[in-house]
């Protein structure tokens, strides 16, 4: 039996242990959220919804700014006629027509400004195609569109995770999807790459060159994945290689493309293509008869990558 003093010691140890784990959990939680430190996210809505119902109507307000999403037709499923409006101080300042689906709408505060983010889909509800918009709402309630990411066949959304603080400055990164379906890659295997933008009030300035270490880290991650894929492939029988040739190529080439692009973004073009050649040779050696046609196109593929990345190459 424990005496009173021993029981007290056990009790204190339990309390200290619980305190330690609570503190540890809090520290981990704070570390996880450190990237968004200084941003006060205030959600308006974060649920996707389609405009397939003639009774559809959404209205939101941020102080004296009103946001409306509503149909323009009484015909059911005539959703291409729906539209989106922003009002400031009772006056319409922005209108977006032919909206099919809004993936999300959210707002957050930073310093004295508020930012409204809208991801909409003009492509009929496909999972691939969104156009993100960023609006500035200043302390006087004035609204200004400060960034529209390119409206292309394949595009990606912005979420709260895309916004972060570094050195007391507000940034956003966007996943550039220009290599979707590149050289026969399936959508699921098509890589995108980060581009970084500094937000200074109403200015949105690309500063991707300032994030070299981020790109090198991504390239290193893909190199490890490439090594694992080739290591596993070397253990396959010739019959298994033939059976898995298409999937194996997609898994390997998607990583090689992602690694190459991230090295280019890091300013390491020569290294990118040197390692591209080495990886191609190593993969080709797995089964020369199986991948001969792909190997012959290696230089052509390199030229296409360089052409698509020319805006980032000095």
């Amino acid at each position: 039996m424990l005496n009173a003093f021993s029981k007290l010691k056990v009790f204190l140890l339990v309390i200290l242990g619980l305190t330690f784990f609570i503190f540890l959990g809090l520290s981990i939680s704070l570390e996880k959220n450190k990237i968004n430190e200084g941003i006060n996210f205030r959600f308006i809505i974060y649920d996707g919804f389609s405009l397939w119902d003639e009774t559809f109507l959404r209205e939101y307000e941020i102080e004296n700014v009103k946001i409306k999403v509503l149909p323009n037709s009484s015909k059911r499923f005539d959703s291409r006629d729906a539209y989106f409006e922003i009002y400031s101080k009772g006056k319409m300042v922005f209108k977006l027509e032919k909206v099919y689906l809004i993936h999300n709408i959210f707002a957050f505060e930073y310093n004295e400004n508020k930012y409204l983010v809208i991801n909409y889909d003009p492509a009929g509800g496909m999972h691939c195609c969104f156009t993100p918009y960023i609006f500035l709402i200043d302390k006087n309630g004035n609204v200004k569109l400060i960034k529209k990411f390119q409206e292309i066949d394949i595009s990606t959304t912005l979420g709260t995770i895309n916004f972060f603080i570094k050195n007391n400055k507000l940034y956003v990164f966007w996943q550039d999807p220009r290599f979707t379906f590149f050289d026969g890659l399936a959508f699921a295997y098509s890589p995108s790459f980060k581009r970084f933008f500094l937000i200074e009030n109403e200015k949105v300035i690309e500063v991707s060159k300032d994030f070299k270490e981020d790109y090198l880290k991504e390239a290193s991650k893909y190199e490890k994945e490439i090594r694992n894929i080739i290591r596993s492939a070397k253990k396959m029988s010739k019959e298994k290689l033939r059976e898995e040739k298409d999937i194996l190529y997609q898994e390997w080439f998607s990583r090689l493309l992602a690694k190459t692009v991230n090295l280019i973004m890091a300013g390491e073009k020569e290294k990118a293509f040197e390692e591209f050649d080495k990886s191609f040779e190593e993969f080709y050696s797995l089964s020369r008869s199986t991948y001969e046609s792909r190997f012959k196109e290696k230089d052509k593929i390199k030229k296409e990558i360089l052409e698509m990345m020319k805006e980032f190459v000095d």
Side-chain angles (χ1 to χ4, degrees):
M1 295 292 292
L2 293 172
N3 59 33
F5 181 71
S6 298
K7 289 180 179 179
L8 179 61
K9 284 173 64 178
V10 171
F11 175 76
L12 289 174
L13 286 171
V14 170
I15 294 298
L16 285 171
L18 287 172
T19 303
F20 171 76
F21 283 111
I22 290 169
F23 177 77
L24 180 62
L26 180 61
S27 299
I28 293 170
S29 176
L30 288 173
E31 184 63 29
K32 284 181 178 178
N33 290 303
K34 194 173 180 181
I35 193 168
N36 285 334
E37 185 181 353
I39 302 180
N40 178 20
F41 281 109
R42 185 161 67 120
F43 288 98
I44 301 170
I45 188 169
Y46 206 83
D47 294 325
F49 48 86
S50 61
L51 312 183
W52 279 0
D53 191 334
E54 69 271 17
T55 62
F56 179 88
L57 173 64
R58 296 286 193 276
E59 289 192 16
Y60 314 100
E61 288 191 19
I62 306 176
E63 295 176 1
N64 61 350
V65 175
K66 183 174 287 188
I67 300 113
K68 291 183 179 181
V69 187
L70 60 168
N72 195 26
S73 171
S74 60
K75 296 180 181 178
R76 189 171 178 81
F77 299 113
D78 193 6
S79 56
R80 298 291 269 176
D81 286 335
Y83 58 97
F84 171 91
E85 297 175 342
I86 299 178
Y87 291 81
S88 175
K89 303 171 187 176
K91 180 181 178 182
M92 187 174 70
V93 294
F94 182 81
K95 183 173 182 177
L96 187 64
E97 298 184 279
K98 297 188 181 300
V99 176
Y100 183 86
L101 181 148
I102 291 185
H103 179 71
N104 58 24
I105 300 175
F106 65 91
F108 64 89
E109 297 175 316
Y110 180 68
N111 290 337
E112 294 184 329
N113 294 324
K114 296 178 177 65
Y115 295 90
L116 174 68
V117 182
I118 299 162
N119 295 285
Y120 101 98
D121 172 20
M126 296 294 288
H127 64 288
C128 60
C129 313
F130 293 92
T131 302
Y133 289 78
I134 304 176
F135 296 88
L136 169 69
I137 303 174
D138 68 20
K139 60 183 179 181
N140 298 315
N142 299 307
V143 181
K144 183 174 183 179
L145 174 63
I146 59 172
K147 183 65 178 178
K148 173 187 175 184
F149 288 88
Q150 62 240 54
E151 190 170 349
I152 53 180
D153 290 341
I154 306 294
S155 192
T156 52
T157 61
L158 295 179
T160 58
I161 195 172
N162 295 78
F163 294 85
F164 64 98
I165 302 295
K166 183 178 181 181
N167 299 326
N168 295 316
K169 294 180 180 179
L170 176 62
Y171 294 89
V172 61
F173 70 84
W174 178 64
Q175 297 287 152
D176 192 310
R178 68 183 64 195
F179 286 99
T180 303
F181 301 127
F182 179 80
D183 195 48
L185 284 174
F187 181 83
Y189 287 102
S190 300
S192 59
F193 62 97
K194 290 180 180 178
R195 290 171 60 186
F196 295 90
F197 299 84
L198 172 65
I199 302 176
E200 291 184 330
N201 295 318
E202 62 183 50
K203 294 180 181 178
V204 181
I205 307 156
E206 181 157 12
V207 290
S208 295
K209 289 185 178 180
D210 296 341
F211 288 82
K212 179 173 182 173
E213 292 305 314
D214 293 75
Y215 292 118
L216 291 176
K217 186 177 179 180
E218 283 291 291
S220 177
K221 180 192 76 173
Y222 286 117
E223 172 59 21
K224 289 177 183 177
E225 293 178 7
I226 290 168
R227 304 277 7 117
N228 289 336
I229 290 167
I230 291 179
R231 192 179 299 114
S232 298
K234 285 180 177 179
K235 297 177 182 178
M236 293 182 182
S237 65
K238 290 183 178 180
E239 292 75 15
K240 184 68 172 176
L241 269 175
R242 281 194 292 269
E243 289 174 11
E244 301 287 336
K245 65 176 184 177
D246 293 330
I247 292 294
L248 190 61
Y249 181 82
Q250 296 256 334
E251 290 182 343
W252 164 77
F253 183 67
S254 63
R255 269 79 171 187
L256 179 59
L257 177 58
K259 175 191 169 184
T260 302
V261 169
N262 275 280
L263 285 174
I264 291 172
M265 292 299 290
E268 303 281 352
K269 183 187 72 173
E270 287 74 18
K271 180 181 179 180
F273 287 120
E274 283 175 12
E275 297 194 3
F276 184 94
D277 288 342
K278 288 178 183 177
S279 188
F280 235 98
E281 179 61 46
E282 187 175 17
F283 188 80
Y284 176 53
S285 67
L286 292 172
S287 178
R288 293 183 179 273
S289 59
T290 302
Y291 296 112
E292 185 175 3
S293 62
R294 308 303 301 160
F295 187 75
K296 288 180 178 178
E297 294 181 345
K298 174 172 66 70
D299 291 336
K300 173 176 168 286
I301 294 170
K302 284 163 58 178
K303 287 180 181 177
E304 289 175 354
I305 293 172
L306 192 55
E307 177 63 23
M308 293 178 71
M309 294 293 291
K310 62 183 179 182
E311 68 188 275
F312 305 108
V313 177
D314 293 329

